[in-house]
Amino acid sequence: TQLLEQSPQFLSIQEGENLTVYCNSSSVFSSLQWYRQEPGEGPVLLVTVVTGGEVKKLKRLTFQFGDARKDSSLHITAAQTGDTGLYLCAVRRGKLIFGQGTELSVKP
Amino acid sequence: DAGVIQSPRHEVTEMGQEVTLRCKPISGHNSLFWYRQTMMRGLELLIYFNNNVPIDDSGMPEDRFSAKMPNASFSTLKIQPSEPRDSAVYFCASSFITGAPSYEQYFGPGTRLTVT
């Protein structure tokens, strides 16, 4: 059983559409991170959320940490082709543990 | 800043051969991590070092895998003998861990290993 369940696993949309991806768990975490991995590169940290209910915005990306600190969502407004990549959530349990990721493809 | 440097970027080898992957972490970072990424299993932590000392190697698959960090600016991951199921992308990452509840890991570009 995965500690972090990410959904959907794959998502293909047209440029300009909005989308939301999810990271869920039955465990409570003190913080949660979102990374983006572009093809042929390593993951890059986008944001860290630490407070239940916290909302952080990074340009067109909105991250929310669930009130109970068990889950998180990433919403992208007006997706662009440059948003294409693998979106990973991660939590620290001694070491950093990653979800399986959501593979996003934004087509022109 | 140069970021985390990994070499080689691609490695193709035959089953049974020894493979050595190399990593130079970001200067000033005190922790280094080796990950393996596959479609089936995602991103898995193999081992991590703090101040050049191995802290958690519970993710190392078996005795065929070994990792060293002889100094703060260099680490190796060795597979001997290699097997086709070792084919994956191997990432090295580094961080400066202070004891805060969260920290950023900086990943290298990865080494794509293919064992035939």
Side-chain angles (χ1 to χ4, degrees):
Chain A
T1 304
Q2 296 280 339
L3 179 64
L4 299 172
E5 296 285 346
Q6 290 194 245
S7 62
Q9 191 175 355
F10 300 97
L11 186 57
S12 181
I13 61 171
Q14 295 296 128
E15 201 168 29
E17 292 183 14
N18 302 332
L19 67 114
T20 302
V21 299
Y22 301 92
C23 176
N24 296 308
S25 179
S26 57
S27 300
V28 178
F29 306 110
S30 58
S31 65
L32 185 144
Q33 296 182 325
W34 284 94
Y35 287 76
R36 178 170 65 205
Q37 183 178 12
E38 298 184 12
E41 299 182 10
V44 175
L45 179 67
L46 295 174
V47 75
T48 301
V49 286
V50 297
T51 306
E54 180 177 6
V55 176
K56 281 192 173 179
K57 292 193 175 184
L58 185 66
K59 297 183 181 179
R60 294 174 295 100
L61 278 59
T62 301
F63 304 85
Q64 183 161 9
F65 201 13
D67 292 341
R69 291 183 288 123
K70 293 183 178 181
D71 51 72
S72 181
S73 64
L74 159 58
H75 181 80
I76 301 179
T77 303
Q80 300 177 356
T81 55
D83 296 327
T84 292
L86 179 67
Y87 288 81
L88 296 158
C89 61
V91 295
R92 187 177 173 193
R93 279 290 174 90
K95 57 192 177 186
L96 203 58
I97 298 175
F98 287 84
Q100 292 283 79
T102 291
E103 186 78 53
L104 172 65
S105 175
V106 182
K107 302 186 185 306
Chain B
D1 198 342
V4 175
I5 299 173
Q6 290 188 247
S7 64
R9 291 296 310 274
H10 302 274
E11 177 80 39
V12 180
T13 190
E14 292 184 348
M15 182 173 65
Q17 296 297 307
E18 177 180 296
V19 175
T20 299
L21 310 182
R22 297 172 175 80
C23 176
K24 176 178 169 55
I26 292 173
S27 177
H29 282 186
N30 60 5
S31 296
L32 181 140
F33 309 80
W34 282 102
Y35 288 88
R36 178 173 66 177
Q37 187 175 42
T38 61
M39 287 294 293
M40 288 296 294
R41 300 174 68 88
L43 196 59
E44 301 175 283
L45 179 67
L46 300 177
I47 185 171
Y48 83 89
F49 296 83
N50 185 258
N51 293 320
N52 311 337
V53 176
I55 301 300
D56 183 347
D57 65 355
S58 59
M60 295 287 261
E62 48 198 274
D63 292 346
R64 298 185 297 107
F65 286 68
S66 63
K68 293 183 179 179
M69 191 165 187
N71 57 63
S73 59
F74 184 66
S75 177
T76 60
L77 178 67
K78 186 176 294 186
I79 308 173
Q80 165 64 17
S82 58
E83 296 182 2
R85 61 191 167 122
D86 301 330
S87 297
V89 181
Y90 291 81
F91 288 101
C92 176
S94 70
S95 294
F96 183 69
I97 297 179
T98 62
S102 66
Y103 53 87
E104 179 172 0
Q105 288 194 1
Y106 295 82
F107 285 78
T111 295
R112 181 173 294 277
L113 173 65
T114 303
V115 183
T116 61

